[in-house]
């Protein structure tokens, strides 16, 4: 146990328990998800800290992004996920690209299955870690005694939802994804006739075959939820929760879902009263660039600059793709800033600057920026929308194809599949996006709509977090439908009852008619 | 035609067409519903006027509430509904009370049917008036040439939705009720397992029998929509709209639904991205009372005052009910202010002041007020919530039973059915509400939640109206599901296809197995 929860964690917890009066605001327990999701949590924590709240963050000891020491929160080290080697996501990318061997109709199913299967290992570790954590009575007692006012968690990692449910804390989810896909599918009715399932790469306007594909994707998600995602947690639920509890029922118990979505980007769909939309909440006006980058931007003259970044998880695209991209860039009249880790491509042009890190938001907000070459991560997409920069997308995995597809159908992006990328098709897409005005016009229209809000997404997020703290939950916004068994939710029991009653009535009527007819015919026979 | 559209209307319209530059703001065409609904529209129009918008209101020449001359809008007289005699609603009340002769389970169905049937006459007149209006080419051309920026209408009256659809104007609905019930049922998925149908007097927590009742209410609403509400408009749709248009499709085309609801009051249920909640938007802090009323309030001492008002449509309750209420009031230590029209009850006590009109909001916000005796109209319920005053409800018709039931299940009201009201049961309910602290505590908790909003409901309403004007609609918030035929919406076509394919596959498998088995058994026979 001590290997998982260090003595320091316990000391921190004890301090929290013993000195409740130290905090000027409320006590918030935060279980974030690592990687790019941490960016989405940290900006909220900064704001909550500035408003005087006392924040405690549970983190893995070997976290990539979540610092142990911070001026805005106290951290507790808890083993949740095993450290992954740097090639983990590159192997996943290879598996995703291997899906090409299947017929076109099946490829999205294959890609989704690769992601879910690789998550399965994560769920095994998460579930085992959670069992160890919940079994540690001292640790759990200390957490309970700390009397937190709120659990704030990203449900992409299950630990927060499990802990929030166990501690019976008011709970706010800072969510985009659950392991089963878009968070909406857990919380709101999702008619599959016009709500595309995550990973299906479909829009809200589907023909017959697309709707068939969407339903099959939905069935795949349901099967994965019940046969892949849920099973590892069965020991934990048996040992520490009332009968009938599962991951989904704990998600349903959340008071507010801060969904990192916006209908400028998402297709319109049903939602629930406790879902609050904060898509793009991390976006800010651009800050001035460092002098060397500013000089590079200005050196591009009237042609401007292309910014390229393919996210934090995949360190390098396949070699031949990298070479093709570099060669295409070399032929542009624009200058290019490319966030790049690895061996320098041989075809790199003089117009292209490779950097290990770039101030993405500030570059996208720079007046010289003409296009954004991106993998399609949610944060990048909202930043492109916020600053009105058209996109050339190279989707890799997760929600990236779906995200880019959303911009594409709105005429604000071109998508080039990494698996079929050549210098020619990439250059054609780039030139098209830079030179055809409609891409820029379309994304600037989205930008205008996205910014046209009664309140900024960040202020909205903070309001609802504090709302849940103030009111000790938001029970009046939670649907009563979640407490029903599935056959009652869909009224199958009532339908069966109505059919049985109607059937009996019709049968009785028929039976009576028959008796009457028989009597009449008997009388007739007698009379004859 | 001239009898319906006066020459003055045409002059007003021509002026609007010819002088578009006179308006400092946008040009908004408003089709309000008369009666208490006008209160909900007028407060918005006042705000829009103060922000420089140019407002044109269509009204019936004989309107009860909507003035012809106003400093905030220009009116156009259009015959929409026939003038109803003062006893119209009293006769409806009698018919509603006649439903008592049916078994308890059927009474809600009967009450709903009485209301819908009486609306049928209204729809006949509305549809005929609309045909006359749409046939008048000069009038319609003038409306079209006026180039309004927005249609703002209450869909409780169909004229606005019809006109907005015909003129292809961006459209905002200021809605609570459609003729088929709660506006939500037209716009959002409404699982009948936990969403009570309007008029069913059920909550979101239903047992098996209640769910059966709810489904039957839903079927009743569907049947009424298609066989009672829609038919009168068929001539209009055939003559002036593309094939396939109906009332529901025109409602679906609205850009924003400002729903006069709040989940402090409504049961949580699915909603849509273009639904904005403005329940209680007409509420304001209480203004000081006139001197005589203030003196009366103060004369009540520590006991305080009971305020009674049963709305604008029914001038008098049945005589024996009025006498019982007056007798019960006479026994209270509190003073009573009763909005009353008719013959003074013989049992009236000295503590009761009868008035023809009362400043309801200011009285409810007065510190001496202890309870509100109300019929359960939506406006009154939100005012009671806003000011935190517990309610004794005497539901008459429309949504009043449903409204009071919502406060009752939240422990903030007692309901006494007018049909079974006696001095004793009314006095018991009144005394209970005044003396048991939990009623006051519960409604004050609702009041706290209702006021805890990032933005006032009125500011929210104005923001979204101007949003639709600024962006010429809100197409990106409208669901694609509405364009699907019902069998595609529910994916019945895809389900049939999947069943057929699976069935064929199983049959083929079975057939092949049979052939193989036969061959094997033949070989065996031969071998033997």
């Amino acid at each position: 146990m001590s290997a998982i929860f260090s003595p320091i964690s316990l000391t921190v917890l004890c301090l929290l328990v013993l000195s409740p009066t130290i905090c000027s605001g409320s006590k918030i327990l935060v279980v974030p998800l690592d990687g790019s999701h941490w960016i989405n949590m940290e900006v909220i924590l900064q704001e909550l800290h500035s408003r005087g709240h006392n924040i405690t963050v549970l983190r893995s000891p070997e976290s990539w992004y979540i610092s142990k020491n911070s001026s805005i929160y106290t951290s507790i080290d808890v083993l949740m996920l095993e450290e992954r080697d740097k090639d983990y996501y590159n192997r996943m990318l290879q598996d995703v690209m291997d899906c090409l061997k299947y017929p076109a109709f099946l490829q999205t199913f294959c890609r989704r299955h690769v992601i879910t299967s690789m998550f399965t290992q994560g769920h095994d570790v998460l579930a085992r870690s959670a069992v160890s954590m919940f079994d540690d009575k001292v640790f759990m007692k200390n957490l309970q005694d700390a009397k937190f006012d709120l659990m704030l968690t990203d449900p992409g990692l299950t630990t927060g939802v499990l802990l929030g449910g166990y501690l019976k804390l008011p709970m706010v989810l800072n969510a985009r994804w659950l392991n089963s896909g878009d968070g909406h599918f857990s919380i709101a009715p999702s008619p599959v006739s016009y709500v595309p399932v995550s990973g299906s790469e479909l829009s809200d306007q589907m023909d017959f075959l697309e709707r068939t594909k969407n339903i099959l994707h939905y069935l795949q998600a349901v099967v994965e939820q019940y046969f892949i995602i849920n099973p590892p947690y069965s020991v934990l639920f048996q040992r520490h929760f009332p009968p009938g509890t599962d991951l989904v029922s704990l998600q349903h118990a959340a008071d507010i879902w801060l969904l990192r979505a916006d209908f400028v980007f998402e297709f319109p769909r049903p939602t629930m009263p406790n879902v609050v939309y904060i898509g793009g909440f991390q976006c800010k006006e651009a800050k001035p660039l460092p002098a060397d980058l500013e000089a590079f931007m200005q050196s591009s003259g009237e042609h401007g600059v292309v910014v390229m970044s393919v996210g934090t998880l995949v360190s390098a695209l396949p070699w031949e793709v990298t070479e093709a991209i570099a060669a295409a860039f070399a032929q542009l009249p624009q200058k290019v800033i490319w966030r790049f880790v690895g061996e320098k491509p041989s075809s790199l042009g003089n117009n292209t600057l490779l950097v290990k890190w770039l101030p993405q938001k500030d570059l996208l907000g720079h007046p010289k920026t003409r296009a954004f070459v991106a993998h399609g991560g949610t944060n990048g997409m909202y930043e492109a929308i916020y600053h009105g920069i058209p996109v050339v997308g190279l989707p890799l995995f997760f929600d990236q194809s779906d995200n880019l597809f959303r911009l594409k159908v709105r005429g604000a992006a071109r998508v080039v599949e990494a698996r079929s990328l050549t210098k020619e098709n990439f250059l054609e897409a780039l030139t098209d996006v830079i030179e055809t005005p409609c891409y820029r016009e379309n994304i600037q229209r989205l930008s205008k709509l996205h910014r046209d809000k009664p309140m900024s997404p960040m202020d909205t997020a903070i309001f609802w977090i504090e709302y849940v703290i103030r009111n000790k939950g938001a029970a009046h916004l939670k649907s009563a439908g979640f407490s029903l068994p599935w056959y009652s939710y869909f009224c199958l029991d009532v339908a069966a009852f109505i059919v049985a009653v109607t059937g009996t009535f019709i049968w009785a009527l028929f039976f009576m008619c028959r008796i009457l007819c028989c009597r009449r015919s008997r009388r007739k026979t007698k009379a004859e």
Side-chain angles (χ1 to χ4, degrees), chain A:
Chain A
M1 200 62 228
S2 59
I4 297 176
F5 308 113
S6 66
I8 300 168
S9 321
L10 291 178
T11 319
V12 169
L13 261 181
C14 290
L15 269 172
L16 282 170
V17 176
L18 296 171
S19 55
T21 50
I22 293 176
C23 332
S24 63
S26 300
K27 292 169 80 174
I28 305 176
L29 181 58
V30 181
V31 186
L33 180 55
D34 216 327
S36 61
H37 288 233
W38 169 243
I39 300 169
N40 297 311
M41 190 61 95
E42 196 182 17
V43 286
I44 288 189
L45 298 190
Q46 277 160 350
E47 191 64 29
L48 287 172
H49 171 74
S50 75
R51 297 169 70 88
H53 297 289
N54 189 321
I55 300 162
T56 304
V57 172
L58 291 202
R59 67 184 278 282
S60 282
E62 307 292 326
S63 169
W64 293 355
Y65 289 82
I66 308 166
S67 313
K68 187 169 177 54
N69 301 311
S70 162
S71 59
I72 62 168
Y73 58 81
T74 309
S75 72
I76 300 178
D77 280 1
V78 180
L79 188 60
M80 290 185 276
L81 276 171
E82 276 164 353
E83 176 58 356
R84 284 167 182 164
D85 59 89
K86 293 281 174 198
D87 282 337
Y88 177 86
Y89 291 103
N90 293 337
R91 285 201 307 279
M92 192 191 287
L93 178 58
Q94 192 51 53
D95 287 349
V96 164
M97 289 177 81
D98 284 349
C99 289
L100 273 175
K101 67 188 174 201
Y102 294 104
F105 185 85
L106 297 178
Q107 287 175 16
T108 50
F109 296 94
C110 168
R111 286 200 279 277
R112 191 188 156 108
H113 186 67
V114 167
I115 305 294
T116 309
S117 303
M118 297 198 79
F119 278 162
T120 314
Q121 306 163 24
H123 283 292
D124 283 336
V125 182
L126 273 170
R128 268 187 283 122
S129 309
V131 169
S132 305
M133 191 198 299
F134 282 64
D135 281 351
D136 184 345
K137 286 184 183 160
V138 179
F139 180 80
M140 294 306 281
K141 175 80 171 40
N142 282 333
L143 270 187
Q144 228 145 9
D145 292 348
K147 297 203 186 307
F148 290 103
D149 299 296
L150 182 79
M151 165 61 82
L152 173 63
T153 186
D154 185 325
L157 189 79
T158 51
T159 314
V161 173
L162 294 168
L163 213 48
Y166 182 82
L167 298 172
K168 296 191 175 60
L169 291 178
M171 184 152 61
V172 173
L173 304 183
N174 173 5
R176 166 138 172 86
W177 282 88
L178 304 175
N179 302 105
S180 51
D182 175 5
H184 274 115
F185 277 83
S186 174
I187 186 86
S190 306
V192 283
S193 51
Y194 66 96
V195 181
V197 175
S198 321
S200 64
E201 298 171 28
L202 294 166
S203 84
D204 58 345
Q205 314 249 357
M206 295 177 252
D207 61 22
F208 179 81
L209 261 186
E210 287 170 335
R211 279 189 289 118
T212 308
K213 186 179 179 182
N214 201 39
I215 287 184
L216 295 176
H217 263 286
Y218 180 75
L219 296 175
Q220 184 187 22
V222 171
V223 168
E224 283 172 358
Q225 176 74 46
Y226 287 94
F227 295 99
I228 299 184
I229 301 172
N230 282 354
Y233 297 93
S234 57
V235 174
L236 178 76
F237 286 119
Q238 276 167 20
R239 227 183 265 183
H240 296 284
F241 286 86
T245 312
D246 60 13
L247 277 178
V248 175
S249 68
L250 290 180
Q251 287 158 7
H252 288 164
D255 293 283
I256 292 287
W257 291 62
L258 300 175
L259 260 179
R260 302 196 292 271
D262 185 303
F263 290 105
V264 162
F265 181 64
E266 286 300 324
F267 299 116
R269 53 151 298 132
T271 177
M272 293 301 276
N274 62 339
V275 176
V276 174
Y277 293 93
I278 61 162
F281 72 114
Q282 81 282 8
C283 300
K284 282 180 183 166
E285 291 300 336
K287 290 197 295 284
L289 294 171
D292 54 340
L293 267 188
E294 182 59 38
F296 182 82
M297 298 299 281
Q298 293 304 338
S299 72
S300 67
E302 64 178 18
H303 292 298
V305 175
V306 172
V307 177
M308 168 155 178
S309 173
V310 289
T312 51
L313 294 179
V314 179
S315 54
L317 288 160
W319 171 82
E320 62 280 9
V321 173
T322 311
E323 283 293 341
I325 290 172
F329 280 155
Q331 298 205 354
L332 286 178
Q334 281 75 27
K335 294 223 165 179
V336 180
I337 299 184
W338 185 353
R339 183 185 174 192
F340 189 87
V341 181
E343 202 181 326
K344 186 176 160 183
S346 63
S347 52
L348 197 76
N350 289 333
N351 64 339
T352 307
L353 174 69
L354 299 185
V355 289
K356 288 210 169 143
W357 179 88
L358 49 76
Q360 186 170 297
K361 292 178 199 175
D362 305 330
L363 280 171
L364 291 178
H366 196 282
K368 289 281 182 196
T369 304
R370 296 289 177 268
F372 180 33
V373 181
H375 64 316
T378 311
N379 289 346
M381 293 302 92
Y382 277 105
E383 284 157 21
I385 290 173
Y386 184 82
H387 293 292
I389 302 297
V391 171
V392 176
L394 308 175
L396 303 173
F397 41 57
F398 298 139
D399 53 348
Q400 296 160 9
S401 291
D402 279 339
N403 286 344
L404 286 166
F405 181 71
R406 277 152 178 70
L407 278 194
K408 185 178 152 190
V409 295
R410 287 172 174 91
R414 281 282 302 268
V415 179
V416 183
E417 297 291 338
R419 50 190 177 260
S420 57
L421 187 145
T422 61
K423 182 186 123 188
E424 289 70 28
N425 66 12
F426 182 62
L427 183 62
E428 186 272 322
L430 255 179
T431 317
D432 185 27
V433 163
I434 295 168
E435 291 180 4
T436 315
C438 71
Y439 291 100
R440 199 174 184 87
E441 286 162 16
N442 285 332
I443 201 152
Q444 292 199 336
R445 186 178 50 79
L446 296 183
S447 181
K448 181 171 163 263
L449 284 171
H450 176 61
R451 287 166 175 245
D452 194 352
K453 286 194 163 61
M455 197 167 159
S456 82
M458 175 57 92
D459 288 344
T460 308
I462 298 299
F463 175 85
W464 286 103
I465 290 171
E466 293 186 337
Y467 179 95
V468 171
I469 296 173
R470 261 195 306 277
N471 299 299
K472 301 188 195 314
H476 66 291
L477 298 179
K478 290 196 255 181
S479 164
F482 299 142
S483 60
L484 293 169
W486 65 271
Y487 52 85
S488 298
Y489 182 95
F490 293 108
C491 283
L492 299 182
D493 48 357
V494 176
F497 174 70
I498 291 176
V499 167
V501 168
T502 319
T504 311
F505 178 75
I506 292 172
W507 178 82
L509 212 68
F510 176 75
F511 191 73
M512 277 170 65
C513 287
R514 222 175 132 185
I515 291 175
L516 286 173
C517 290
C518 285
R519 276 194 192 166
R520 203 174 284 176
S521 64
R522 257 185 234 158
R523 269 186 216 155
K524 257 193 179 175
T525 322
K526 270 190 184 175
E528 282 167 9

